[in-house]
Every structure is written in C-alpha cells, then in structure tokens.
C-alpha cells in the first residue's frame, strides 16, 4: 500500500508544508474513489494516509493508474485522464469483472 510520500514523489514534490500535504491528501482521496469505481472495485484502498505508515507499494497496474490519476488531478488536467487511460481502465475493469464472476461461481 502506498503512503503520502509515494504520491508526493510521483508528483515531484520535494518540500514539506501543511498546505501542500492537505492538498495532496484530498487529491489522493478523490483519486482513490475515482479509480476504484472506474476499474470495478469500489472501496479499494491504494493509499494509507496515516503519517506513520510504511510504504509497501505493490507495483500493480491499478496502483500506477491511481498515481497517474493523482498526477492529472494535481496538474489540473483531470478532464484528460479518462481519455488518455481509457485502454488501461477498460482492461482493468474487464479483469476485475472476470475475477468477481469467477469468485462468485466458486462460492
């Protein structure tokens, strides 16, 4: 699971201040809700906003999509996110839908 420092690193933010951290936390929360909904796993968490948490990135395509979403939001280009990542979003949604159906059949 990612932490705030991972998102700040992705955004090339090398300084610490409360206003920036507040903004990045809000972006991360919105990106988390957006990406988890888009790829069909509502409520999934990619980031732990607890300041004492330890970074444990999974290195998945979904995790990278979350970071990319944060980057687009931070740079005021969110309207381009779905267009530029449509292929990845579709692929991950299909994968997660297939996994959910397979799990339901095995239950």
């Amino acid at each position: 699971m990612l932490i705030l420092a991972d998102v700040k690193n992705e955004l090339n933010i090398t300084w610490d201040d409360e206003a920036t951290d507040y903004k990045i936390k809000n972006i991360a929360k919105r990106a988390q809700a957006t990406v988890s909904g888009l790829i069909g796993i509502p409520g999934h968490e990619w980031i732990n906003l607890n300041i004492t948490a330890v970074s444990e990135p999974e290195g998945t395509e979904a995790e990278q999509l979350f970071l990319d979403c944060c980057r687009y939001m931070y740079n005021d280009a969110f309207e381009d996110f779905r267009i530029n990542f449509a292929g990845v979003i579709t692929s991950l949604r299909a994968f997660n839908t297939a996994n959910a159906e397979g799990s339901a059949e095995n239950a």
Side-chain angles (χ1 to χ4, degrees), residues 14-92:
T14 58
W15 61 92
D16 286 318
D17 72 74
E18 288 183 32
T20 302
D21 287 354
Y22 180 79
K23 180 176 182 174
I24 301 307
K25 284 179 184 178
N26 285 328
I27 287 172
K29 288 176 186 176
R30 291 193 334 263
Q32 186 163 268
T34 298
V35 171
S36 64
L38 286 173
I39 66 172
I41 50 173
H44 185 79
E45 295 183 3
W46 282 282
I47 186 163
N48 182 344
L49 294 175
N50 181 341
I51 200 73
T52 61
V54 177
S55 177
E56 296 177 9
E58 298 170 18
T60 64
E61 191 171 24
E63 190 176 80
Q64 184 58 51
L65 185 65
F66 162 76
L67 291 170
D68 291 329
C69 186
C70 289
R71 182 169 46 87
Y72 273 65
M73 287 179 172
Y74 181 73
N75 290 302
D76 296 323
F78 180 66
E79 62 276 4
D80 297 324
F81 174 74
R82 290 182 188 196
I83 296 165
N84 292 343
F85 289 91
V88 175
I89 292 167
T90 301
S91 174
L92 288 171

